[in-house]
Amino acid sequence: QLQLVESGGGLVQPGGSLRLSCAAVGFTSDLHAIGWFRQAPGKEREGVSCIGSGVGSTDYADSVKGRFTISRDNAKNTVDLQMNDLKPEDTAVYYCAAAWGCPYSLNSPPYDMHYWGKGTLVTVSS
């Protein structure tokens, strides 16, 4: 059964960094597009970043461009999200998801991802 498991969340001060990891269980992740999404309390889920299958073109939401970097580690079968210069507004539960392709736009739904992880909480606070 195909599963996605997120890890790496936690509490960080504004301006700090965190690295999230999405582990693919039961399938080879580089055959799928893998995206990161987030949902803050009281808000709708929003797109963050996505990497395509294979060589993998990357895409980012406007809100995280220049601060977040998505990458694959094929040896570990993971997709990582390096988050730098974190801001309080980045506080959310972060989810990874898989599909045959990345969403048309990460700046607005729908996202049409087929498989979702359970999420990992990121809190940015002093």
Side-chain angles (χ1 to χ4, degrees):
Q1 183 176 358
L2 190 151
Q3 289 183 328
L4 296 165
V5 181
E6 303 93 339
S7 62
L11 173 64
V12 63
Q13 293 186 342
S17 298
L18 277 178
R19 189 175 184 91
L20 304 183
S21 186
C22 173
V25 180
F27 71 106
T28 303
S29 66
D30 69 350
L31 296 180
H32 293 75
I34 303 291
W36 283 96
F37 302 81
R38 66 187 183 186
Q39 188 166 16
K43 295 188 177 181
E44 292 186 352
R45 188 171 295 183
E46 62 177 0
V48 175
S49 183
C50 189
I51 186 166
S53 60
V55 175
S57 60
T58 58
D59 193 19
Y60 298 90
D62 292 343
S63 59
V64 306
K65 278 181 181 176
R67 300 188 298 123
F68 291 11
T69 303
I70 192 170
S71 61
R72 289 187 183 275
D73 186 333
N74 289 334
K76 296 181 179 179
N77 204 27
T78 62
V79 171
D80 297 339
L81 185 70
Q82 177 66 41
M83 305 187 297
N84 299 329
D85 190 23
L86 283 161
K87 304 175 181 181
E89 52 264 41
D90 294 317
T91 295
V93 177
Y94 283 71
Y95 301 87
C96 65
W100 293 120
C102 287
Y104 177 76
S105 172
L106 288 166
N107 295 312
S108 61
Y111 301 119
D112 294 332
M113 306 302 283
H114 301 152
Y115 304 99
W116 291 84
K118 295 182 178 180
T120 185
L121 177 62
V122 172
T123 303
V124 184
S125 175
S126 55

